[in-house]
PDB file of all heavy atoms in Angstrom:
ATOM      1  N   THR A 380       4.262  -4.425  10.306  1.00 98.00           N
ATOM      2  CA  THR A 380       4.926  -3.127   9.828  1.00 98.00           C
ATOM      3  C   THR A 380       4.510  -1.988  10.686  1.00 98.00           C
ATOM      4  O   THR A 380       3.314  -1.658  10.847  1.00 98.00           O
ATOM      5  CB  THR A 380       4.571  -2.833   8.389  1.00 98.00           C
ATOM      6  OG1 THR A 380       4.851  -3.990   7.589  1.00 98.00           O
ATOM      7  CG2 THR A 380       5.404  -1.637   7.878  1.00 98.00           C
ATOM      8  N   ARG A 381       5.496  -1.386  11.398  1.00 98.00           N
ATOM      9  CA  ARG A 381       5.197  -0.116  12.142  1.00 98.00           C
ATOM     10  C   ARG A 381       5.343   1.014  11.247  1.00 98.00           C
ATOM     11  O   ARG A 381       6.341   1.216  10.582  1.00 98.00           O
ATOM     12  CB  ARG A 381       6.124  -0.083  13.344  1.00 98.00           C
ATOM     13  CG  ARG A 381       5.990  -1.179  14.370  1.00 98.00           C
ATOM     14  CD  ARG A 381       6.907  -1.100  15.502  1.00 98.00           C
ATOM     15  NE  ARG A 381       6.862  -2.240  16.434  1.00 98.00           N
ATOM     16  CZ  ARG A 381       6.258  -2.149  17.606  1.00 98.00           C
ATOM     17  NH1 ARG A 381       5.726  -1.059  18.095  1.00 98.00           N
ATOM     18  NH2 ARG A 381       6.233  -3.272  18.405  1.00 98.00           N
ATOM     19  N   LYS A 382       4.227   1.901  11.273  1.00 97.00           N
ATOM     20  CA  LYS A 382       4.184   3.036  10.351  1.00 97.00           C
ATOM     21  C   LYS A 382       4.426   4.340  11.089  1.00 97.00           C
ATOM     22  O   LYS A 382       4.194   4.489  12.253  1.00 97.00           O
ATOM     23  CB  LYS A 382       2.811   2.985   9.688  1.00 97.00           C
ATOM     24  CG  LYS A 382       2.517   1.751   8.937  1.00 97.00           C
ATOM     25  CD  LYS A 382       1.097   1.750   8.376  1.00 97.00           C
ATOM     26  CE  LYS A 382       0.922   0.571   7.409  1.00 97.00           C
ATOM     27  NZ  LYS A 382       1.732   0.631   6.298  1.00 97.00           N
ATOM     28  N   HIS A 383       4.893   5.334  10.257  1.00 95.00           N
ATOM     29  CA  HIS A 383       5.029   6.677  10.818  1.00 95.00           C
ATOM     30  C   HIS A 383       4.303   7.636   9.840  1.00 95.00           C
ATOM     31  O   HIS A 383       4.430   7.475   8.626  1.00 95.00           O
ATOM     32  CB  HIS A 383       6.547   7.052  10.881  1.00 95.00           C
ATOM     33  CG  HIS A 383       7.292   6.228  11.732  1.00 95.00           C
ATOM     34  ND1 HIS A 383       7.455   6.473  13.096  1.00 95.00           N
ATOM     35  CD2 HIS A 383       7.960   5.004  11.576  1.00 95.00           C
ATOM     36  CE1 HIS A 383       8.191   5.502  13.710  1.00 95.00           C
ATOM     37  NE2 HIS A 383       8.471   4.579  12.773  1.00 95.00           N
ATOM     38  N   LEU A 384       3.557   8.557  10.343  1.00 93.00           N
ATOM     39  CA  LEU A 384       2.733   9.398   9.582  1.00 93.00           C
ATOM     40  C   LEU A 384       3.294  10.898   9.561  1.00 93.00           C
ATOM     41  O   LEU A 384       3.947  11.281  10.560  1.00 93.00           O
ATOM     42  CB  LEU A 384       1.273   9.468  10.108  1.00 93.00           C
ATOM     43  CG  LEU A 384       0.546   8.062  10.144  1.00 93.00           C
ATOM     44  CD1 LEU A 384      -0.819   8.263  10.663  1.00 93.00           C
ATOM     45  CD2 LEU A 384       0.547   7.432   8.838  1.00 93.00           C
ATOM     46  N   GLY A 385       2.913  11.590   8.533  1.00 91.00           N
ATOM     47  CA  GLY A 385       3.259  12.972   8.437  1.00 91.00           C
ATOM     48  C   GLY A 385       2.371  13.869   9.342  1.00 91.00           C
ATOM     49  O   GLY A 385       1.559  13.320  10.098  1.00 91.00           O
ATOM     50  N   PRO A 386       2.482  15.160   9.280  1.00 90.00           N
ATOM     51  CA  PRO A 386       1.687  16.073  10.160  1.00 90.00           C
ATOM     52  C   PRO A 386       0.222  15.955   9.972  1.00 90.00           C
ATOM     53  O   PRO A 386      -0.299  15.748   8.888  1.00 90.00           O
ATOM     54  CB  PRO A 386       2.159  17.462   9.755  1.00 90.00           C
ATOM     55  CG  PRO A 386       3.471  17.216   8.975  1.00 90.00           C
ATOM     56  CD  PRO A 386       3.374  15.937   8.324  1.00 90.00           C
ATOM     57  N   ALA A 387      -0.470  16.005  11.101  1.00 90.00           N
ATOM     58  CA  ALA A 387      -1.929  16.079  11.076  1.00 90.00           C
ATOM     59  C   ALA A 387      -2.350  17.366  10.451  1.00 90.00           C
ATOM     60  O   ALA A 387      -1.563  18.305  10.424  1.00 90.00           O
ATOM     61  CB  ALA A 387      -2.557  15.983  12.524  1.00 90.00           C
ATOM     62  N   PRO A 388      -3.587  17.428   9.872  1.00 92.00           N
ATOM     63  CA  PRO A 388      -4.682  16.419   9.947  1.00 92.00           C
ATOM     64  C   PRO A 388      -4.651  15.359   8.894  1.00 92.00           C
ATOM     65  O   PRO A 388      -5.614  14.618   8.782  1.00 92.00           O
ATOM     66  CB  PRO A 388      -5.894  17.248   9.852  1.00 92.00           C
ATOM     67  CG  PRO A 388      -5.479  18.376   8.893  1.00 92.00           C
ATOM     68  CD  PRO A 388      -4.054  18.664   9.184  1.00 92.00           C
ATOM     69  N   TYR A 389      -3.526  15.227   8.135  1.00 91.00           N
ATOM     70  CA  TYR A 389      -3.536  14.238   7.042  1.00 91.00           C
ATOM     71  C   TYR A 389      -2.855  13.016   7.505  1.00 91.00           C
ATOM     72  O   TYR A 389      -2.326  12.837   8.583  1.00 91.00           O
ATOM     73  CB  TYR A 389      -2.710  14.884   5.814  1.00 91.00           C
ATOM     74  CG  TYR A 389      -3.301  16.261   5.511  1.00 91.00           C
ATOM     75  CD1 TYR A 389      -2.549  17.410   5.836  1.00 91.00           C
ATOM     76  CD2 TYR A 389      -4.505  16.376   4.902  1.00 91.00           C
ATOM     77  CE1 TYR A 389      -3.056  18.646   5.585  1.00 91.00           C
ATOM     78  CE2 TYR A 389      -5.038  17.639   4.610  1.00 91.00           C
ATOM     79  CZ  TYR A 389      -4.258  18.783   4.998  1.00 91.00           C
ATOM     80  OH  TYR A 389      -4.796  19.988   4.747  1.00 91.00           O
ATOM     81  N   PHE A 390      -2.893  11.960   6.698  1.00 90.00           N
ATOM     82  CA  PHE A 390      -2.475  10.630   7.082  1.00 90.00           C
ATOM     83  C   PHE A 390      -1.455  10.017   6.072  1.00 90.00           C
ATOM     84  O   PHE A 390      -1.350   8.822   5.963  1.00 90.00           O
ATOM     85  CB  PHE A 390      -3.715   9.669   7.185  1.00 90.00           C
ATOM     86  CG  PHE A 390      -4.673   9.970   8.374  1.00 90.00           C
ATOM     87  CD1 PHE A 390      -5.654  10.993   8.192  1.00 90.00           C
ATOM     88  CD2 PHE A 390      -4.560   9.319   9.524  1.00 90.00           C
ATOM     89  CE1 PHE A 390      -6.465  11.308   9.256  1.00 90.00           C
ATOM     90  CE2 PHE A 390      -5.451   9.542  10.576  1.00 90.00           C
ATOM     91  CZ  PHE A 390      -6.367  10.585  10.493  1.00 90.00           C
ATOM     92  N   ASP A 391      -0.631  10.899   5.527  1.00 91.00           N
ATOM     93  CA  ASP A 391       0.429  10.408   4.572  1.00 91.00           C
ATOM     94  C   ASP A 391       1.399   9.610   5.361  1.00 91.00           C
ATOM     95  O   ASP A 391       1.902  10.035   6.402  1.00 91.00           O
ATOM     96  CB  ASP A 391       1.126  11.660   3.982  1.00 91.00           C
ATOM     97  CG  ASP A 391       0.315  12.202   2.806  1.00 91.00           C
ATOM     98  OD1 ASP A 391      -0.840  11.790   2.591  1.00 91.00           O
ATOM     99  OD2 ASP A 391       0.893  12.913   2.013  1.00 91.00           O
ATOM    100  N   GLU A 392       1.809   8.432   4.892  1.00 93.00           N
ATOM    101  CA  GLU A 392       2.757   7.540   5.465  1.00 93.00           C
ATOM    102  C   GLU A 392       4.164   7.968   5.050  1.00 93.00           C
ATOM    103  O   GLU A 392       4.365   8.057   3.873  1.00 93.00           O
ATOM    104  CB  GLU A 392       2.399   6.059   5.139  1.00 93.00           C
ATOM    105  CG  GLU A 392       1.081   5.659   5.668  1.00 93.00           C
ATOM    106  CD  GLU A 392       0.658   4.173   5.223  1.00 93.00           C
ATOM    107  OE1 GLU A 392       1.409   3.611   4.442  1.00 93.00           O
ATOM    108  OE2 GLU A 392      -0.373   3.789   5.705  1.00 93.00           O
ATOM    109  N   THR A 393       4.993   8.226   6.004  1.00 96.00           N
ATOM    110  CA  THR A 393       6.265   8.785   5.738  1.00 96.00           C
ATOM    111  C   THR A 393       7.431   7.786   5.964  1.00 96.00           C
ATOM    112  O   THR A 393       8.552   7.935   5.490  1.00 96.00           O
ATOM    113  CB  THR A 393       6.573   9.993   6.552  1.00 96.00           C
ATOM    114  OG1 THR A 393       6.537   9.677   7.939  1.00 96.00           O
ATOM    115  CG2 THR A 393       5.539  11.116   6.255  1.00 96.00           C
ATOM    116  N   ALA A 394       7.198   6.722   6.740  1.00 97.00           N
ATOM    117  CA  ALA A 394       8.214   5.634   7.030  1.00 97.00           C
ATOM    118  C   ALA A 394       7.549   4.428   7.490  1.00 97.00           C
ATOM    119  O   ALA A 394       6.459   4.405   7.995  1.00 97.00           O
ATOM    120  CB  ALA A 394       9.153   6.219   8.053  1.00 97.00           C
ATOM    121  N   HIS A 395       8.346   3.280   7.278  1.00 98.00           N
ATOM    122  CA  HIS A 395       7.819   1.957   7.740  1.00 98.00           C
ATOM    123  C   HIS A 395       9.070   1.222   8.251  1.00 98.00           C
ATOM    124  O   HIS A 395      10.173   1.321   7.688  1.00 98.00           O
ATOM    125  CB  HIS A 395       7.244   1.123   6.560  1.00 98.00           C
ATOM    126  CG  HIS A 395       6.155   1.904   5.805  1.00 98.00           C
ATOM    127  ND1 HIS A 395       4.879   2.030   6.198  1.00 98.00           N
ATOM    128  CD2 HIS A 395       6.260   2.513   4.599  1.00 98.00           C
ATOM    129  CE1 HIS A 395       4.159   2.750   5.353  1.00 98.00           C
ATOM    130  NE2 HIS A 395       5.023   2.989   4.367  1.00 98.00           N
ATOM    131  N   THR A 396       8.854   0.331   9.318  1.00 98.00           N
ATOM    132  CA  THR A 396       9.911  -0.579   9.711  1.00 98.00           C
ATOM    133  C   THR A 396       9.276  -1.941   9.911  1.00 98.00           C
ATOM    134  O   THR A 396       8.165  -2.112  10.325  1.00 98.00           O
ATOM    135  CB  THR A 396      10.494  -0.101  11.082  1.00 98.00           C
ATOM    136  OG1 THR A 396       9.581   0.057  12.056  1.00 98.00           O
ATOM    137  CG2 THR A 396      11.349   1.227  10.847  1.00 98.00           C
ATOM    138  N   VAL A 397      10.088  -2.935   9.552  1.00 98.00           N
ATOM    139  CA  VAL A 397       9.686  -4.408   9.751  1.00 98.00           C
ATOM    140  C   VAL A 397      10.762  -5.062  10.521  1.00 98.00           C
ATOM    141  O   VAL A 397      11.989  -5.005  10.170  1.00 98.00           O
ATOM    142  CB  VAL A 397       9.476  -5.064   8.404  1.00 98.00           C
ATOM    143  CG1 VAL A 397       9.193  -6.557   8.579  1.00 98.00           C
ATOM    144  CG2 VAL A 397       8.325  -4.373   7.572  1.00 98.00           C
ATOM    145  N   ASP A 398      10.383  -5.822  11.570  1.00 98.00           N
ATOM    146  CA  ASP A 398      11.387  -6.492  12.421  1.00 98.00           C
ATOM    147  C   ASP A 398      10.862  -8.001  12.542  1.00 98.00           C
ATOM    148  O   ASP A 398       9.777  -8.257  12.925  1.00 98.00           O
ATOM    149  CB  ASP A 398      11.408  -5.837  13.782  1.00 98.00           C
ATOM    150  CG  ASP A 398      12.454  -6.361  14.705  1.00 98.00           C
ATOM    151  OD1 ASP A 398      12.837  -7.613  14.505  1.00 98.00           O
ATOM    152  OD2 ASP A 398      12.935  -5.697  15.666  1.00 98.00           O
TER     153      ASP A 398
END
Side-chain angles (χ1 to χ4, degrees):
T380 305
R381 295 181 184 253
K382 299 176 173 296
H383 300 270
L384 303 182
Y389 310 105
F390 291 82
D391 278 12
E392 296 175 356
T393 59
H395 311 279
T396 57
V397 176
D398 187 334

